Amino acid sequence: EIVLTQSPATLSLSPGERATLSCRASQSVSSYLAWYQQKPGQAPRLLIYDASNRATGIPARFSGSGSGTDFTLTISSLEPEDFAVYYCQQRSNWLALTFGGGTKVEIK
Amino acid sequence: EVQLVESGGGLVQPGGSLRLSCAASGFTFSSYDMHWVRQATGKGLEWVSAIGTAGDPYYPGSVKGRFTISRENAKNSLYLQMNSLRAGDTAVYYCARVNYGDYGGAFDIWGQGTMVTVSS
């Protein structure tokens, strides 16, 4: 099983600040990595697929980068609606999909 | 509108069974792989099962032999039969669509979730 480790667990920032979230895989997942945003009481929402491609309707302030084992989700300038939990997910091993443990972005 | 709506959750005793359903609308259901993903309260996301367009099922070790995923394309419906339930299966269960064509195999559509509680 490919383990995805997200860091930090919690990120305390103010609106307008830059958020940098990390996702590290226990073995290479190539570029088969997605990022999701989840708000309380809601289902996850796809943000980024194939490591660096924004899904339809996702604002340009969200960007993804990385390949192999190290990936980053960057939110260039936090808006109030961006405070949420973010998960990475790999599909490199189609028979054993895994998610990271999540990073909570909270208001400082 | 593209939509997934789960149903069938509830309270069940340890060792019991439950069948979840997911009704799809707004897209050609038969053309997409479908998955179940669960989330225990306050915890992260866990992949539970998948089914391909041909009906081929896949499971992680944690549920293999206890859960059965199936689909009925004529009814635009996805199912999850859960047997021998344990306290550790308590979670919100989401059905989710995989989109290879537009999103490289990511989950692009999710249902609102249905709560399963395993307790005596």
Side-chain angles (χ1 to χ4, degrees):
Chain A
E1 175 181 300
I2 297 175
V3 177
L4 299 179
T5 302
Q6 290 188 241
S7 61
T10 304
L11 200 50
S12 298
L13 295 168
S14 300
E17 289 193 296
R18 182 184 189 90
T20 303
L21 288 66
S22 173
C23 177
R24 178 163 290 178
S26 59
Q27 63 190 76
S28 177
V29 298
S30 186
S31 294
Y32 299 131
L33 190 104
W35 290 93
Y36 301 85
Q37 176 193 66
Q38 188 179 35
K39 296 179 180 179
Q42 296 185 15
R45 172 196 180 198
L46 176 64
L47 298 176
I48 301 288
Y49 65 98
D50 286 348
S52 61
N53 298 293
R54 273 190 306 276
T56 301
I58 301 304
R61 64 181 180 272
F62 290 92
S63 63
S65 63
S67 66
T69 60
D70 289 293
F71 300 87
T72 300
L73 175 70
T74 301
I75 310 171
S76 59
S77 178
L78 283 164
E79 296 288 339
E81 62 268 27
D82 299 337
F83 291 92
V85 180
Y86 293 83
Y87 293 95
C88 58
Q89 175 244 327
Q90 65 80 22
R91 69 165 188 90
S92 173
N93 184 348
W94 155 236
L95 299 180
L97 301 178
T98 51
F99 292 87
T103 290
K104 181 180 182 180
V105 179
E106 65 175 23
I107 300 176
K108 186 174 182 180
Chain B
E1 179 190 5
V2 175
Q3 197 173 10
L4 297 170
V5 178
E6 301 95 337
S7 60
L11 175 64
V12 61
Q13 292 188 339
S17 299
L18 209 56
R19 189 195 196 208
L20 306 183
S21 299
C22 171
S25 59
F27 65 98
T28 305
F29 177 73
S30 60
S31 297
Y32 291 86
D33 295 351
M34 298 295 297
H35 293 238
W36 289 96
V37 176
R38 68 185 180 186
Q39 185 173 37
T41 302
K43 303 297 184 182
L45 301 164
E46 180 187 13
W47 173 64
V48 172
S49 62
I51 189 165
T53 55
D56 41 321
Y58 303 92
Y59 309 95
S62 57
V63 307
K64 199 168 189 176
R66 301 189 299 123
F67 290 11
T68 301
I69 189 172
S70 61
R71 64 191 302 161
E72 193 167 356
N73 290 337
K75 293 187 175 181
N76 292 328
S77 292
L78 177 72
Y79 306 102
L80 185 67
Q81 177 68 42
M82 303 185 295
N83 299 330
S84 303
L85 283 162
R86 309 163 178 166
D89 296 318
T90 295
V92 173
Y93 284 72
Y94 296 101
C95 61
R97 183 180 85 169
V98 171
N99 191 327
Y100 289 101
D102 297 323
Y103 297 122
F107 296 119
D108 70 330
I109 304 295
W110 296 69
Q112 86 288 352
T114 187
M115 183 70 203
V116 172
T117 303
V118 184
S119 175
S120 55

